[in-house]
């Protein structure tokens, strides 16, 4: 990629942020709309889970393929196609006549979304080459998640109340089209010097693993759980034998990279489960409208909005350790207020839990992204960023699946009103899920502490050298297209 002026770099960053905004805003706004969809389609708890998890599942399955494909055929080209498919999928979602159709159109959205976030991160990594400058850019990029959390519930609630839940998908159309036009004008094309070859077997195994695991959790199917175990075993056996695997297991020799992966899964599992449970509590149990539910969750969103860019600056100045330790502590404490003290019974405690959890989530995103790509050769930026993005989406999928399965099992075991769920029934059913979310927060804290010390940094340097040596051993052919 040619060296860009500072002004054009900022425009490229803004375009990448726009792509993240529509993907993140779509998910946070959709959470507020779940009860409205439930009423219109007569959906069960499992049906509501699938509207979220079908999207996240396809997205997680294709992220690494999209990242490696972008490194191979051109990042701007893949990014552009992703914007077109995502906008088309959003339009189809707004027209869905039934729950199965909505789930199918959400999967179309996810195909486009898989070409946006990891490719955007790869574009940012190759645009901002200075480590401190890159950390600040990633912090701003991660701050968009906070913006989406702040805007999503309010925009979603307002649209549901004044128009319909279908209007949520209309928001993606102007933003996506604007990002498309700006991409064609300002984003230069770039490729990796030595991109990875396609790995169809690895892709099939990854898809089989994620799909079977999600289905097994949501539908409580033991035979499908066995399929997920076999897919994992096949992946671990097959990938190391490939010269250029879809998932390069050498990345995991780096303790920071492995820690970032674990932290991403745990943090986004906690977020996915937390949002799912609280959306149902506020609208079904407490009886709030979609807009008022969004206003209730505004403290959590506001804290994420404030602390995400602060975390990016902190990572640039002090490294990832302070942000990770603070994030793990806050997420654990926020979830504990619901698990141990039933924050739903007290509005002040409920808001306190939202504030503390929001601070934790706001702090965690920048160090995940920065740790995942720092130290890696720029030629593998797309794959490294895709692994981090896959971990996020996998976490969100598992969080919704686990929280929904635990809640459904709990509600099936207690008596509740025919037209809805009583507070006592909901608290009894959701308490185990909140303890699981608390455990995920604790994992963020422990993994952050282990993966950010001096020993961990040494493993990162060793892994980076190992990957650079491999790149030098396979130089770009003389007749390769210009980069």
């Amino acid at each position: 990629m040619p060296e860009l002026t500072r002004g054009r770099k900022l425009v490229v960053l803004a375009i990448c942020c726009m792509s993240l905004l529509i993907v993140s805003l779509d998910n946070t706004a959709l959470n507020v709309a779940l009860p409205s969809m439930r009423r219109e389609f007569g959906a069960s708890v499992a049906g509501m889970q699938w509207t979220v998890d079908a999207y996240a599942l396809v997205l997680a399955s294709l992220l690494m393929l999209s990242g490696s494909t972008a490194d191979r055929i051109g990042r701007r080209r893949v990014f552009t196609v992703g914007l077109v498919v995502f906008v088309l999928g959003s339009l189809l979602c707004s027209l869905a006549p039934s729950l199965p159709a909505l789930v199918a159109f959400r999967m179309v959205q996810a195909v486009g979304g898989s070409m946006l976030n990891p490719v955007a991160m790869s574009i940012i990594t190759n645009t901002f080459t200075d480590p401190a400058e890159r950390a600040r850019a990633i912090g701003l990029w991660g701050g968009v998640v906070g913006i989406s959390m702040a805007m999503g519930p309010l925009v979603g609630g307002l649209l549901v109340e004044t128009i319909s839940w279908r209007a949520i998908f209309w928001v993606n159309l102007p933003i996506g089209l604007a990002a498309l036009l700006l991409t064609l004008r300002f984003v230069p094309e770039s490729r990796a010097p030595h991109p990875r070859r396609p790995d169809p077997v690895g892709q099939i195994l990854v898809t089989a693993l994620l799909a079977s695991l999600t289905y097994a959790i949501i539908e409580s199917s033991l035979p499908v759980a066995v399929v997920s175990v076999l897919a994992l075993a096949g992946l671990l056996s097959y990938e190391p034998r490939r010269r250029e695997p879809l998932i390069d297991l050498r990345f995991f020799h780096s303790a920071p990279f492995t820690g970032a992966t674990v932290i991403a899964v745990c943090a986004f599992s906690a977020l996915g489960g937390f949002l799912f449970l609280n959306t149902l509590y506020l609208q079904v149990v407490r009886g709030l409208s979609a807009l008022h539910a969004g206003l209730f969750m505004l403290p959590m969103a506001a804290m994420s909005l404030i602390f995400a860019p602060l975390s990016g600056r902190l990572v640039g100045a002090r490294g990832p350790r302070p942000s990770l330790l603070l994030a793990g502590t806050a997420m654990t404490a926020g979830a504990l207020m619901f698990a141990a003290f039933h924050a739903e019974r007290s509005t002040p405690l409920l808001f306190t839990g939202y504030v503390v959890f929001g601070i934790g989530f706001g702090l965690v995103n920048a160090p995940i992204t920065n740790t995942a790509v720092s130290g890696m050769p720029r030629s593998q930026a797309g794959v490294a960023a895709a692994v981090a993005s896959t971990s996020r989406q996998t976490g969100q999928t598992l969080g919704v699946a686990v929280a929904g399965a635990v809640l459904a099992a709990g509600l099936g075991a207690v008596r509740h009103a025919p037209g809805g769920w009583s507070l006592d029934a909901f608290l009894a059913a959701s308490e185990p899920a909140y303890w699981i979310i608390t455990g995920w927060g604790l994992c963020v804290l422990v993994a952050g502490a282990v993966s950010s010390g001096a020993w961990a940094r040494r493993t990162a340097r060793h892994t980076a050298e190992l990957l650079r040596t491999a790149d030098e051993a396979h130089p770009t052919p003389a007749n390769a297209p210009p980069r």
Side-chain angles (χ1 to χ4, degrees):
M1 177 181 288
E3 186 65 30
L4 306 180
T5 64
R6 175 171 174 77
R8 190 167 177 182
K9 285 182 179 181
L10 294 177
V11 173
V12 171
L13 177 60
I15 295 168
C16 293
C17 288
M18 290 170 70
S19 73
L20 178 60
L21 177 63
I22 57 176
V23 173
S24 302
L25 185 65
D26 188 82
N27 267 335
T28 53
L30 186 68
N31 268 284
V32 178
L34 288 177
S36 297
M37 296 178 184
R38 176 174 174 259
R39 288 190 296 270
E40 179 171 333
F41 293 135
S44 63
V45 172
M48 288 186 290
Q49 287 174 270
W50 279 118
T51 62
V52 177
D53 274 352
Y55 174 87
L57 178 62
V58 173
L59 193 65
S61 299
L62 297 179
L63 282 168
M64 282 179 285
L65 175 64
S66 297
S68 59
T69 301
D71 283 344
R72 183 168 57 254
I73 70 173
R75 296 173 181 125
R76 186 180 74 164
R77 181 179 300 173
V78 171
F79 190 73
T80 300
V81 173
L83 286 169
V84 172
V85 175
F86 189 85
V87 168
L88 176 61
S90 299
L91 178 62
L92 292 173
C93 286
S94 71
L95 303 174
S98 64
L99 183 64
L102 176 61
V103 171
F105 295 150
R106 288 279 287 164
M107 295 170 75
V108 174
Q109 259 193 314
V111 173
S114 72
M115 304 179 198
L116 298 182
N117 288 2
V119 182
M121 177 50 56
S122 183
I123 291 172
I124 291 172
T125 302
N126 283 270
T127 300
F128 296 89
T129 54
D130 176 73
E133 186 182 46
R134 180 191 300 165
R136 288 192 295 270
I138 291 174
L140 290 172
W141 189 74
V144 174
V145 176
I147 295 174
S148 72
M149 286 189 65
M151 291 176 57
L154 293 177
V155 171
L158 183 62
L159 291 174
V160 170
E161 289 294 304
T162 58
I163 306 176
S164 162
W165 61 263
R166 299 174 185 276
I168 288 173
F169 298 104
W170 299 346
V171 176
N172 299 331
L173 305 185
I175 300 176
L177 291 174
L180 175 62
L181 295 175
L182 291 170
T183 298
L184 295 174
R185 173 67 179 83
F186 291 104
V187 177
E189 186 59 280
S190 65
R191 299 179 180 88
H194 180 64
R196 295 175 182 276
R197 297 174 182 174
D199 180 10
V201 175
Q203 180 61 51
I204 292 171
L205 289 171
V206 166
T207 303
L209 169 62
L210 296 176
S212 58
L213 180 60
T214 303
Y215 186 91
I217 293 173
I218 293 178
E219 304 295 343
S220 302
S221 173
L222 182 58
V224 179
V226 174
V227 174
S228 68
V229 173
L230 294 176
L232 176 61
L235 198 64
L236 295 177
S237 172
Y238 176 78
E239 291 295 276
R241 296 203 296 266
R242 275 189 60 85
R243 182 173 178 179
E244 293 182 337
L246 177 70
I247 303 177
D248 193 337
L249 299 182
R250 293 175 302 174
F251 282 7
F252 294 93
H253 294 173
S254 165
F257 183 86
T258 303
T261 303
V262 172
I263 291 165
V265 171
C266 292
F268 278 77
S269 292
L271 176 70
F274 193 87
L275 289 177
F276 187 81
L277 292 175
N278 275 278
T279 296
L280 295 180
Y281 159 72
L282 291 172
Q283 294 190 55
V284 179
V285 179
R286 198 150 182 163
L288 298 180
S289 67
L291 178 58
H292 285 128
L295 290 171
F296 251 71
M297 299 182 73
L298 185 58
M300 179 172 67
M303 292 302 102
S304 295
L305 174 62
I306 292 170
F307 280 87
L310 292 178
S311 180
R313 294 191 177 191
L314 184 60
V315 170
R318 305 292 295 273
R321 188 176 182 85
S323 289
L324 289 175
L325 297 182
L326 290 170
T329 301
M331 294 185 77
T332 302
L336 192 63
M337 293 181 190
F338 291 82
F341 302 106
H342 293 157
E344 298 96 327
R345 293 191 183 276
S346 166
T347 299
L349 188 58
L350 181 74
F351 283 142
T352 303
Y354 288 164
V355 166
V356 175
F357 192 89
I359 290 172
F361 183 74
L363 288 167
V364 81
N365 208 33
I368 289 174
T369 307
N370 184 266
T371 303
V373 300
S374 63
M376 296 292 175
R378 288 170 59 189
S379 62
Q380 303 299 341
V383 178
V387 173
S389 295
T390 299
S391 301
R392 290 184 178 90
Q393 294 301 326
T394 301
Q396 185 169 350
T397 303
L398 294 179
V400 173
V402 170
V406 171
L407 180 66
L411 290 172
V414 298
R415 298 182 63 184
H416 50 87
W421 305 323
S422 68
L423 177 60
D424 288 338
F426 185 85
L427 291 180
S430 63
E431 182 178 333
Y434 277 118
W435 278 112
I436 294 172
I437 294 171
T438 303
W440 283 329
L442 188 60
C443 285
V444 171
L445 175 61
V446 173
V450 172
S451 64
S452 58
W455 165 79
R457 290 193 294 272
R458 286 196 297 272
T459 66
R461 289 193 293 269
H462 175 75
T463 302
E465 184 59 33
L466 178 68
L467 294 171
R468 288 192 188 94
T469 301
D471 274 354
E472 292 169 1
H474 302 90
T476 305
N479 61 348
R483 302 301 186 227

